Amino acid sequence: MSSVETVNVLIDPPDGQKKPGRVFLERGVFLLAPTRHGPLARTLGAWANGLFAHLPEEIGLYDPFAVTREEARADPGTVRVRYGDVEAMAPVVRPTGFSLHLRVARREDAVRLEFRSNEERRELVTLARAIRDRAREAGRDVGRFDPGGRTRPVSLAE
C-alpha cells in the first residue's frame, strides 16, 4: 500500500470555485478539507507570493493549503468519503496539469482534485494508488472512467 497520509490539492467543486486544501487519509474514510484562509487572505497571500517570487510561502509566512488534521475533523465544510463508496477514478493529465476525478456512491457529481506542485504526477499517482488500495481493503473494486474534455489517462502501474 502507498504510504501517503496527507496531500495538498486544489479542491474543484462543481460551482467552479477552486479552493486550496488537503486530503487526509484516515481509517475508513478520507477527508477533503478546504484551507482555513478566507478569500481575502488567499488573495493577499497569492499577491505577496507573486510579488516576492513565492518567498513568503517558502519561508513559512503563508501556506495556501493551511489546515490541520484536527481542523479538518472538526470543520463542517470538510467532505468525508468512505473508501468503500469510491466506485471509479480517473487520474488524468490536462493541458494545465494533473487531476484526480472520483465517482462516489450517493453523490451526483464527481469529486475533482487538482495538484499544484513540482511533484504533481508523483502526488497524483501516490494518492490514487492509496485510495484504490484502501477501497480494495474495504471490499470495493474501483473502476476507471473517462471524465471527458481534453484529458489523457495516467497509468497507476508500478
Side-chain angles (χ1 to χ4, degrees):
M1 179 188 319
S2 301
S3 63
V4 64
E5 295 300 321
T6 304
V7 177
N8 294 337
V9 295
L10 295 173
I11 301 168
D12 190 6
D15 66 7
Q17 299 296 320
K18 294 179 189 173
K19 292 181 184 176
R22 289 195 170 121
V23 176
F24 296 99
L25 300 180
E26 301 265 304
R27 194 179 312 237
V29 299
F30 61 93
L31 308 174
L32 304 173
T35 183
R36 74 170 80 103
H37 299 305
L40 179 60
R42 288 196 313 266
T43 301
L44 291 175
W47 177 79
N49 270 337
L51 184 63
F52 298 109
H54 290 277
L55 188 63
E57 189 174 340
E58 289 177 18
I59 63 174
L61 294 176
Y62 173 71
D63 179 5
F65 303 98
V67 63
T68 65
R69 188 177 297 268
E70 290 72 30
E71 290 170 333
R73 288 178 183 150
D75 184 3
T78 297
V79 175
R80 289 156 177 78
V81 179
R82 291 176 1 141
Y83 296 111
D85 288 345
V86 177
E87 296 175 339
M89 67 173 47
V92 295
V93 60
R94 303 176 286 54
T96 57
F98 291 85
S99 64
L100 177 62
H101 299 242
L102 301 168
R103 283 196 183 147
V104 179
R106 298 179 296 280
R107 284 184 65 103
E108 290 181 24
D109 52 333
V111 173
R112 298 179 313 206
L113 307 172
E114 295 180 10
F115 299 84
R116 191 208 90 172
S117 77
N118 293 331
E119 299 291 327
E120 286 182 281
R121 187 180 200 301
R122 183 187 58 76
E123 289 178 347
L124 164 71
V125 170
T126 303
L127 180 61
R129 283 180 185 164
I131 291 173
R132 180 194 62 194
D133 293 346
R134 292 175 186 210
R136 283 182 182 158
E137 289 175 4
R140 172 75 74 161
D141 187 27
V142 178
R144 299 287 290 259
F145 74 97
D146 180 8
R150 295 177 41 192
T151 63
R152 285 189 336 254
V154 173
S155 173
L156 298 181
E158 311 300 311

